Amino acid sequence: QDFYALTIIDYLLLKGKTSRLYKRIMTKENLAIYLNGGIEKRKDAAVLKIFAITNNETMAEICQKAILSELQRLRSSSVPDSELEKARNLFRRDYFRRLATSMDKALFLAEMHFSPVGVENPTMDLKRYLRVTPFEITAVASRYFTPENTVILNVRTR
């Protein structure tokens, strides 16, 4: 059940140029030269991955603090309705784009076949994502975005 809220959190944080992390890290504070990520789901487990490429160690540390700060913000304050609606709209757009080509439809139907929803009613699945509330966002973020659930890898190349 938490996966629906986690998916919307993914959109709040990472999807589009108005997402929280993009605005903060790429636009406002100019901390990274690359930002990407998303939820990876395997059976009943999911992980939120966030990747940022910076110019130096100092920027990497500041960027890491900014990311952790945004995760903490999700845990401690409610998402404004306007921001949540924007994330839902982006999700809805991406959901329907998955039906654009025959290959996309086949992949979508295969995914739905193995999901708890099944292929009989994919619109029911969409409605579950679109019903996620600010309270659910805060509750799920508080449950999963804790220091003991966080793994940070700093990779340096020369």
Side-chain angles (χ1 to χ4, degrees):
Q1 192 63 34
D2 291 344
F3 187 73
Y4 298 103
L6 284 169
T7 300
I8 299 301
I9 287 171
D10 178 20
Y11 275 77
L12 288 166
L13 290 174
L14 290 159
K15 303 302 183 211
K17 294 189 188 266
T18 60
S19 65
R20 287 184 176 195
L21 287 175
Y22 189 91
K23 280 194 308 191
R24 182 168 178 183
I25 290 172
M26 300 298 288
T27 306
K28 184 180 171 190
E29 297 180 27
N30 213 12
L31 298 172
I33 57 175
Y34 177 80
L35 176 70
N36 201 342
I39 292 185
E40 184 177 319
K41 183 179 172 189
R42 302 262 171 99
K43 294 190 180 185
D44 290 338
V47 63
L48 175 64
K49 296 180 178 182
I50 301 170
F51 302 96
I53 298 175
T54 63
N55 289 325
N56 58 53
E57 282 188 45
T58 302
M59 295 300 268
E61 289 175 20
I62 296 169
C63 187
Q64 178 182 317
K65 287 178 183 172
I67 292 168
L68 294 173
S69 166
E70 289 301 325
L71 294 176
Q72 175 57 36
R73 195 170 130 211
L74 279 176
R75 295 173 63 205
S76 60
S77 61
S78 184
V79 174
D81 288 333
S82 60
E83 185 181 10
L84 183 55
E85 191 58 32
K86 192 182 299 184
R88 286 183 189 133
N89 287 338
L90 278 173
F91 176 81
R92 181 185 295 119
R93 180 202 67 191
D94 289 349
Y95 191 89
F96 287 117
R97 278 188 178 169
R98 294 168 59 193
L99 304 173
T101 68
S102 296
M103 175 63 103
D104 291 336
K105 287 177 192 172
L107 291 170
F108 176 76
L109 289 172
E111 183 181 317
M112 292 303 293
H113 176 74
F114 292 106
S115 79
V117 176
V119 292
E120 290 78 30
N121 197 356
T123 57
M124 175 68 116
D125 193 45
L126 175 62
K127 288 177 184 176
R128 284 181 151 164
Y129 288 104
L130 300 179
R131 282 195 310 252
V132 169
T133 66
F135 175 78
E136 288 174 286
I137 299 283
T138 303
V140 167
S142 295
R143 187 166 26 259
Y144 297 111
F145 300 155
T146 62
E148 54 273 0
N149 286 340
T150 303
V151 176
I152 299 170
L153 299 172
N154 291 314
V155 179
R156 294 173 187 87
T157 59
R158 297 243 185 247

